Amino acid sequence: MQTTNRLFMVIPCYNEQEVLPETSKRLLAKYNDLIGKGVITSDSRIVFVNDGSKDNTWEIIEKLHNENPIFQGIKLSRNRGHQNALLSGLMTVKDICDVSISMDADLQDDINAIDEMLEKFNEGKDIVFGVRSRRTTDTFFKRFTAEGYYKLMNRMGADIVFNHADFRLMSSKALNMLAEFGEVNLFLRGIVPMIGLDTDIVYYERSERFAGESKYPLFKMLSFAFEGITSLSTKPIRFIAELGVFIFIVSIVVLIYSLVRYFTGHTIPGWTTTVLSVWAIGGLTMISLGVIGEYIGKIYLETKNRPRYIIGKYLCDESDKETISLTDVKFEK
Ligand code: UDP
Ligand code: MG
């Protein structure tokens, strides 16, 4: 038996004026198709989250909403980054939808995978990860760094799904469980697998960005990777302790060596090793302090418990406002 569910898609947008008209057109066609087939209800919605864009993204969203209420818009008070933008959207719709799908605005994710995701949902899965089957459209460099990143993350103890970005189906139940994870240093890709529940995977081919530029240049990508590791795992700290033990053992060997040299009358040579070890130990100490500092910084942010995002405006259905205001999302209607 086929059930009809209310689907909310959540799409974070930062300076996406070039792609939004096309994205909205394709999503609308997909929705009309799904509604026609009776897979989703006619009051299913597409929510664009404007993450403090500097271009006309918000104006485009407002226009879309005015033309067709199937499009909704959430306006964050300022730029909070991809993860927080996505989270704000998911948390806003968690009680008014049956099921949500998150996707990037740039059409890199295959819209046609949505059908299969919904099929899995109807089979009883609460979370369905969209996973890239190939990365042929990415440059060699992007592919190499991205795949290396997933492997590194797993070795560092973060249980993330290989080649899965943020194209994902989550049921209302899963979203409500996600709401329990109150951390400020939020890395959705690592947190969602921790929820548990019944999960599945849908493979799709990732295409090129439709228009505009990637909001993740190399430096931002590296910082995102580092954030991901330090917010999910404490293995790097353990590694530092292990390194300390190792260096201590090495220093005992060096001590024995110097004593032997001393008693055999070779005390003058050794300048090279002294200088080298001073630099090496100095460098290691600084790296170690840096890593520990990174964790302390995270603790600092968590203790302040600041809101992860502030919603300035939500363009939604009148009939949903009451349900939304019952949730922990604060917004000015
Ligand atoms: N994005 C966002 N806030 C930001 C940066 C990016 O909401 O500060 C959105 C962006 O609009 C897009 C998604 O996050 O929908 C992924 O960004 P992008 O496609 O540039 O990343 P890439 O695919 O190159 O990793
Ligand atoms: Mg992209």
Side-chain angles (χ1 to χ4, degrees):
M1 188 200 77
Q2 170 132 41
T3 45
T4 310
N5 294 295
R6 191 175 191 202
L7 168 69
F8 270 67
M9 287 202 59
V10 176
I11 299 154
C13 309
Y14 176 62
N15 296 344
E16 298 286 11
Q17 62 180 16
E18 286 96 354
V19 294
L20 267 186
E22 183 66 24
T23 308
S24 54
K25 201 168 88 195
R26 292 201 201 170
L27 282 177
L28 184 61
K30 182 92 244 167
Y31 263 56
N32 285 336
D33 177 46
L34 290 170
I35 292 170
K37 285 194 215 146
V39 182
I40 59 174
T41 61
S42 55
D43 61 352
S44 292
R45 297 287 179 253
I46 299 163
V47 187
F48 293 110
V49 182
N50 177 36
D51 186 19
S53 301
K54 296 187 190 72
D55 63 0
N56 289 322
T57 300
W58 180 247
E59 284 70 29
I60 297 175
I61 296 172
E62 269 181 326
K63 192 164 151 269
L64 286 168
H65 175 73
N66 292 335
E67 282 168 2
N68 188 343
I70 199 163
F71 296 111
Q72 302 193 332
I74 290 177
K75 189 184 189 188
L76 295 191
S77 57
R78 49 160 292 200
N79 181 256
R80 294 292 291 126
H82 180 202
Q83 300 288 297
N84 284 311
L86 184 52
L87 183 77
S88 73
L90 294 175
M91 291 301 104
T92 306
V93 306
K94 72 181 182 355
D95 294 313
I96 52 177
C97 70
D98 295 313
V99 58
S100 73
I101 295 181
S102 53
M103 197 180 90
D104 286 353
D106 57 6
L107 294 170
Q108 282 193 288
D109 305 322
D110 182 10
I111 289 182
N112 294 316
I114 292 173
D115 300 64
E116 209 184 320
M117 286 183 165
L118 288 169
E119 266 168 42
K120 305 253 182 202
F121 173 70
N122 280 330
E123 285 164 17
K125 307 289 179 202
D126 278 293
I127 302 173
V128 183
F129 298 102
V131 170
R132 280 163 231 172
S133 53
R134 291 193 300 157
R135 274 187 174 265
T136 43
T137 56
D138 283 341
T139 59
F140 171 75
F141 180 71
K142 173 101 190 176
R143 196 159 71 217
F144 182 75
T145 48
E147 292 190 347
Y149 164 66
Y150 286 103
K151 289 189 184 130
L152 178 72
M153 289 287 287
N154 279 320
R155 292 192 67 169
M156 285 290 173
D159 181 22
I160 63 170
V161 180
F162 190 66
N163 267 347
H164 160 69
D166 284 298
F167 187 27
R168 174 174 57 228
L169 173 144
M170 290 180 79
S171 66
S172 172
K173 180 171 150 199
L175 290 178
N176 276 291
M177 291 183 173
L178 177 66
E180 302 292 316
F181 290 77
E183 43 208 287
V184 176
N185 303 293
L186 188 91
F187 187 68
L188 282 169
R189 268 170 240 186
I191 298 288
V192 174
M194 280 187 203
I195 298 177
L197 292 176
D198 226 353
T199 62
D200 210 335
I201 286 176
V202 162
Y203 292 94
Y204 70 100
E205 274 181 35
R206 185 141 165 117
S207 42
E208 273 168 66
R209 185 173 242 286
F210 177 73
E213 277 176 6
S214 170
K215 274 76 195 169
Y216 281 98
L218 180 65
F219 183 72
K220 220 170 152 185
M221 207 162 78
L222 286 177
S223 116
F224 187 61
F226 195 62
E227 285 289 319
I229 293 167
T230 52
S231 62
L232 288 169
S233 146
T234 48
K235 274 205 182 160
I237 288 188
R238 170 72 56 80
F239 177 68
I240 286 172
E242 286 167 359
L243 195 67
V245 172
F246 174 72
I247 288 176
F248 181 69
I249 294 171
V250 171
S251 73
I252 292 176
V253 175
V254 174
L255 179 77
I256 296 169
Y257 170 76
S258 0
L259 286 178
V260 171
R261 296 291 282 184
Y262 178 77
F263 287 117
T264 51
H266 294 93
T267 37
I268 301 300
W271 181 84
T272 332
T273 37
T274 315
V275 170
L276 270 180
S277 47
V278 168
W279 280 90
I281 301 291
L284 284 175
T285 313
M286 274 160 92
I287 294 173
S288 312
L289 282 176
V291 174
I292 293 167
E294 194 66 31
Y295 283 96
I296 294 180
K298 289 231 148 62
I299 297 169
Y300 174 64
L301 288 174
E302 296 293 346
T303 53
K304 282 199 291 202
N305 207 8
R306 284 187 182 154
R308 293 176 284 189
Y309 50 82
I310 295 169
I311 294 178
K313 219 178 247 172
Y314 180 29
L315 306 175
C316 66
D317 295 310
E318 278 303 318
S319 52
D320 286 328
K321 285 193 171 169
E322 209 169 307
T323 321
I324 297 164
S325 62
L326 291 176
T327 71
D328 56 353
V329 179
K330 312 259 181 305
F331 66 97
E332 163 201 315
K333 279 176 217 151

